[in-house]
Amino acid sequence: MGDVSNDLSRRERRKREVRDRIMRAAMKRFIRQGFDDTRVDEIAQDADVAQKTFFNYFPTKQDLFHQLAEERIDELQEILEEERSGAGSTRQKLEHCFVRLSELLEERGLLARDLILEAMRARPPGMTGEDITKLHTAFGAILRDGQVRGDVRTDHPIEFLTEMVVGGFGAVMNNWVNIRDYPVKDRLAQTAAFLGEAISPKGAGRKGQP
Amino acid sequence: MGDVSNDLSRRERRKREVRDRIMRAAMKRFIRQGFDDTRVDEIAQDADVAQKTFFNYFPTKQDLFHQLAEERIDELQEILEEERSGAGSTRQKLEHCFVRLSELLEERGLLARDLILEAMRARPPGMTGEDITKLHTAFGAILRDGQVRGDVRTDHPIEFLTEMVVGGFGAVMNNWVNIRDYPVKDRLAQTAAFLGEAISPKGAGRKGQP
């Protein structure tokens, strides 16, 4: 009996390891070449598995992409939760979140662009669906904390303020995937400053003031 | 010679008239039934033309839809230009624009929803492309006027402020097509108030103050 369960867990571990290797290989290719220009045989070769093995794990390249997308959303959520429990005012947290998001975009290259394009083309499109609800929830938590400690305005409900923050982020992402040479890092920083100020309580002053 | 040109213009007028009739019939159906649930034979019947005639004017239902979409964008642009030359502060103009846009959405029913879904799924997706550039340009003109007369902040470039305004509008549209019973009219009004304040000069005060 002990041997059987050992065999099982060994097999499970082995499957998990192959799956991770394929995912990592795919991610590297997508970052450099983008989703469309990456072929399954390239991923299989990089991951050192037969194409047949690839298809045992992922029926299509699209399936793999969706798994990867889900992981990236979880990663985004973790970043926002980390920032939430960090130091500083809500405005600073928001600015810091946007900086980290823009670093992530840079690091992830074409993959990031493809993920955003894909999110926009999904049915239903855009900023809802389970994934983007996670983003709303994470930003919303930061803003709610801010209302409690008094550096986020209370004359609008959190739900609405969150919509504006995610909307500003979405507008920049949208322009980034569509406009050549769009200064995404600068614009994200500018957007964070603008929104950080707009969500502050009445009379809290503008940029540069405490 | 005179007869020939008369014949030509008569034929042109006749073509124009049939085309308009088909467009009007289609628009009514799309408003009530949505794009997907409207059949070409229904449009042809409403417009009192043979199906063959329909296809002479529009090779596919999709082609008709895109013509209609283009007209709607031009209409939107006209509304924004009208508001631009109207009375009131930039903040009031913005609020008035958003109210008119939400009335238009209501009037247009399922057609409006389908147009927005289509814009989001287009390649490239979302808020760029020639059509949305028109929207940017029209909102941008209102904001630029405001900078000149002093009721729009000058510490951010117009291009960026426009991005935030169109982004806020886009976020609400996005939620409206995705979330059941989304209070789109209320949210648009709230968004206009929020953004109207956020684009005002430093120290101009919040809602309710001049």
Side-chain angles (χ1 to χ4, degrees), chain A residues 187 190, chain B residues 143-144 147 153-163:
Chain A
R187 286 300 173 88
Q190 205 169 7
Chain B
L143 296 176
R144 189 165 292 112
Q147 270 193 347
R153 62 197 295 177
T154 52
D155 56 343
H156 286 297
I158 285 297
E159 200 189 1
F160 170 74
L161 294 177
T162 306
E163 218 169 298

Side-chain angles (χ1 to χ4, degrees), chain A residues 120 123-125 127-128 153 157 159-160 163 174-175 178 182 187 190-191 197 200-202 206 209, chain B residues 120-121 124-125 127-128 153 157 159-160 163 174-175 178 182 187 190-191 197 200-202 206 209:
Chain A
M120 285 172 174
R123 276 187 179 259
M127 304 238 165
T128 46
R153 62 197 296 177
E159 200 190 3
F160 171 74
E163 218 169 297
N174 191 66
N175 286 334
N178 283 301
Y182 182 77
R187 286 300 173 88
Q190 205 169 7
T191 303
E197 178 192 305
S200 294
K202 200 165 165 163
R206 291 238 154 126
Q209 297 179 38
Chain B
M120 285 171 173
R121 291 205 186 101
M127 305 238 164
T128 45
R153 62 197 295 177
E159 200 189 1
F160 170 74
E163 218 169 298
N174 191 66
N175 286 334
N178 283 300
Y182 182 77
R187 287 298 173 88
Q190 206 168 6
T191 304
E197 178 191 304
S200 294
K202 200 165 164 165
R206 293 238 153 125
Q209 295 178 39

Side-chain angles (χ1 to χ4, degrees), chain B residues 20-70:
Chain B
D20 287 350
R21 217 161 65 216
I22 295 172
M23 295 274 277
R24 277 198 308 275
M27 187 159 148
K28 279 189 197 158
R29 285 274 178 185
F30 294 157
I31 288 174
R32 285 204 315 272
Q33 297 171 203
F35 176 76
D36 283 341
D37 290 337
T38 297
R39 297 192 318 271
V40 165
D41 69 274
E42 293 174 317
I43 301 172
Q45 197 176 3
D46 292 353
D48 198 20
V49 299
Q51 274 203 58
K52 192 172 166 295
T53 308
F54 177 98
F55 290 117
N56 283 340
Y57 285 82
F58 304 100
T60 67
K61 191 175 70 163
Q62 196 72 31
D63 289 313
L64 189 162
F65 185 75
H66 284 139
Q67 296 275 341
L68 214 51
E70 213 167 295

Side-chain angles (χ1 to χ4, degrees), chain A residues 129-145:
Chain A
E130 201 187 324
D131 289 344
I132 311 294
T133 302
K134 287 184 186 169
L135 207 61
H136 264 95
T137 306
F139 270 121
I142 295 175
L143 296 177
R144 191 166 290 111
D145 286 355

Side-chain angles (χ1 to χ4, degrees), chain B residues 88-115:
Chain B
S89 69
T90 303
R91 195 190 291 195
Q92 288 166 332
K93 281 180 189 174
L94 215 57
E95 293 187 12
H96 206 225
C97 284
F98 273 54
V99 168
R100 287 188 64 179
L101 293 178
S102 78
E103 284 167 357
L104 213 59
L105 289 181
E106 208 165 56
E107 222 175 276
R108 295 295 150 76
L110 292 176
L111 172 63
R113 190 205 56 182
D114 288 350
L115 290 170

